[in-house]
Amino acid sequence: MTVSSSLHAQERAELAGWAQGLERSALQEMLVAASRPGIISFALGLPAVELFPAAALAEAAERVLSVDTSALQYSPPLQSLKQHVRELMKRRGVNCREEQIFLTAGAQQGMSLLSRLLLEPGGSVVTEELIYTGFQQVLAPFRPQVLTVSTDAETGMDVDAVEQCLSGGVRPKFIYAITDGHNPLSVRLHPSKRARLVELAERYRVPIIEDDAYGFLCYENPLPPLRALSERWVFYVGSFSKILAPALRVGWLVVPEELILPLSVIKESTDIDAAPLSQRIINAYLDTGQLPAQIDTLRTQYGLRRDVMLRALAENFPDAAGWTKPDCGFFVWVELPPTVDVDELFRSAIEDEHVAFIPGHAFSVNNKRPDTPSIRLNFSHPTAARIEEGIPRLARALKSVMG
Ligand SMILES: Cc1ncc(COP(=O)(O)O)c(C=O)c1O
């Protein structure tokens, strides 16, 4: 018996109300099962290890540390990295000023800081019915009223429903949107809906938190994010995690200038500085001008893996299943025949076929299960060979649970 489990309840510190019910989420349970040795995993949304620019980052780290040991000191956000981010944003079709850029420890922290800035306990927010679980975790301490709208498989978020909500008098603290490379649905917001969503944000004065974690990884026809349409009402969240390496823990926000000071005070209370050594290493790497070629490589390689997965699905999955063809991001969203029990499929896939995925319902907000049984498959992390091996196995598990 562990020390903590042998303690009586009155001998333990009392946790905050929202934290008392915290337990390992169904998603975490699944990820533990998915990480067992021998499993081909389509579960997590990890970048490919073999595509990290490790040698170039090692050289950048060496340059940083050999030139100036104060790189290891507490330090304010690196101005030259903000200049690089400004150039990077231009590649996304966004013009912004360095004074609007706020460096963070990844997109996750960016969303967390913005939520702390905007949301009162019990306040309301608008998002989609199926959404990135990390964002749901960000919201949890506020116990907010989460108002959800559905998502069209072709055109993304139901913007009519957002309008109904706002015109009906609801004033959420913000709208959360993943415009490109939606996680988990892999859809992108249609251009006409982008313009309407921003118009609604401006008309009703409700900010949009735009999570663009995958926006640089579009395989076809990249579109500018919402931030290109509104400087005032779109708070943009960016990250180096998917285009360089998540272990560096560096991302950024692009927000109206007057938010930078309150954000910096909130951030200081959390972790003082935004990973100063990582900032310097990324800055030195960006100075070499290699990032555009790295992004091109990632687009090509992930695009190939996506195609391998789509081909394997077409060859092995039953006609009654359907799936998205992602233009952007890391996932394929698969809808299964209505009789399939996704939890049973998960068990069979892991136990009998040694292959893992995430059931679609793990992403549902307010515990509302999707009407259609669905699963999310990641194609960025497994190699093409593993995808070709894993999809037929998953198809076998599916056929067995379909009887
Ligand atoms: C949609 C989305 N937003 C944000 C993140 C977190 O990114 P970061 O590593 O920059 O914190 C992820 C990570 O998978 C994600 O899928």
Side-chain angles (χ1 to χ4, degrees):
M1 188 181 281
T2 61
V3 175
S4 62
S5 66
S6 70
L7 287 176
H8 293 296
Q10 66 267 35
E11 289 172 317
R12 296 194 201 127
E14 188 179 331
L15 303 187
W18 76 271
Q20 284 175 13
L22 287 182
E23 50 191 35
R24 204 149 69 169
S25 66
L27 186 65
Q28 284 170 315
E29 299 285 355
M30 289 167 201
L31 294 177
V32 170
S35 61
R36 295 209 303 248
I39 299 266
I40 296 183
S41 181
F42 302 124
L44 284 170
L46 306 179
V49 174
E50 58 281 12
L51 298 177
F52 289 138
L57 286 171
E59 282 165 24
E62 165 67 20
R63 275 197 306 282
V64 165
L65 287 167
S66 59
V67 168
D68 184 4
T69 47
S70 71
L72 293 167
Q73 188 57 279
Y74 290 110
S75 39
L78 197 59
Q79 201 56 36
S80 48
L81 182 56
K82 291 188 186 179
Q83 286 163 12
H84 279 301
V85 169
R86 195 168 74 94
E87 291 307 309
L88 207 51
M89 291 304 298
K90 277 194 197 151
R91 285 175 62 91
R92 280 294 278 131
V94 171
N95 282 314
C96 62
R97 286 174 281 113
E98 281 152 45
E99 296 75 32
Q100 298 170 321
I101 295 170
F102 184 82
L103 298 175
T104 64
Q108 187 70 22
Q109 189 186 53
M111 291 186 285
S112 173
L113 296 174
L114 283 174
S115 298
R116 286 173 68 187
L117 186 69
L118 300 170
L119 194 54
E120 317 283 359
S124 60
V125 304
V126 169
T127 185
E128 290 154 279
E129 285 161 6
L130 292 161
I131 205 70
Y132 170 56
T133 50
F135 172 68
Q136 300 185 41
Q137 288 174 320
V138 162
L139 293 183
F142 300 96
R143 296 173 162 178
Q145 196 192 349
V146 187
L147 308 166
T148 56
V149 298
S150 62
T151 311
D152 181 85
E154 302 287 324
T155 61
M157 180 189 276
D158 182 350
V159 177
D160 287 339
V162 176
E163 176 156 25
Q164 268 168 26
C165 177
L166 298 176
S167 64
V170 175
R171 285 295 168 274
K173 293 297 177 188
F174 59 83
I175 300 164
Y176 172 75
I178 309 177
T179 326
D180 287 297
H182 192 287
N183 180 6
L185 296 171
S186 83
V187 62
R188 63 184 353 195
L189 194 63
H190 190 273
S192 66
K193 285 189 170 181
R194 291 178 196 232
R196 269 194 67 215
L197 187 61
V198 169
E199 191 267 309
L200 289 174
E202 288 181 340
R203 184 166 6 129
Y204 292 99
R205 299 177 177 277
V206 174
I208 299 169
I209 295 185
E210 179 176 38
D211 180 354
D212 200 39
Y214 300 95
F216 288 89
L217 297 175
C218 282
Y219 311 114
E220 277 121 38
N221 317 318
L223 291 170
L226 301 176
R227 174 57 180 75
L229 302 176
S230 174
E231 178 169 333
R232 184 119 296 271
W233 292 100
V234 179
F235 302 169
Y236 176 97
V237 183
S239 176
F240 285 107
S241 286
K242 314 296 180 187
I243 52 176
L244 264 184
L248 293 164
R249 304 309 306 142
V250 178
W252 67 92
L253 300 174
V254 182
V255 291
E257 202 174 324
E258 70 273 10
L259 300 187
I260 299 290
L261 176 67
L263 281 168
S264 70
V265 175
I266 300 174
K267 174 150 174 50
E268 194 179 5
S269 75
T270 311
D271 60 355
I272 305 182
D273 292 328
L277 180 58
S278 288
Q279 280 187 40
R280 279 171 174 69
I281 294 171
I282 293 175
N283 185 65
Y285 172 83
L286 295 177
D287 282 346
T288 65
Q290 294 178 71
L291 186 63
Q294 169 67 8
I295 293 177
D296 287 346
T297 303
L298 295 176
R299 279 195 187 138
T300 307
Q301 294 303 321
Y302 291 146
L304 288 172
R305 289 177 193 207
R306 172 201 64 170
D307 293 343
V308 169
M309 180 169 277
L310 294 174
R311 203 166 43 243
L313 285 167
E315 284 168 3
N316 294 280
F317 266 44
D319 291 342
W323 49 87
T324 52
K325 178 175 188 274
D327 306 293
C328 196
F330 280 5
F331 309 105
V332 175
W333 180 257
V334 183
E335 295 198 333
L336 301 170
T339 52
V340 173
D341 177 337
V342 176
D343 296 320
E344 174 60 13
L345 175 62
F346 182 78
R347 193 210 53 73
S348 167
I350 295 268
E351 301 300 336
D352 307 331
E353 298 291 347
H354 309 292
V355 57
F357 60 85
I358 305 274
H361 62 74
F363 300 94
S364 61
V365 176
N366 299 335
N367 292 325
K368 187 170 171 266
R369 281 201 166 222
D371 296 334
T372 310
S374 38
I375 63 177
R376 188 195 77 174
L377 299 177
N378 166 263
F379 59 79
S380 60
H381 187 248
T383 59
R386 298 285 275 174
I387 295 172
E388 279 170 340
E389 191 185 339
I391 294 296
R393 287 203 216 164
L394 183 55
R396 269 205 307 270
L398 177 59
K399 279 168 197 152
S400 84
V401 300
M402 286 170 70

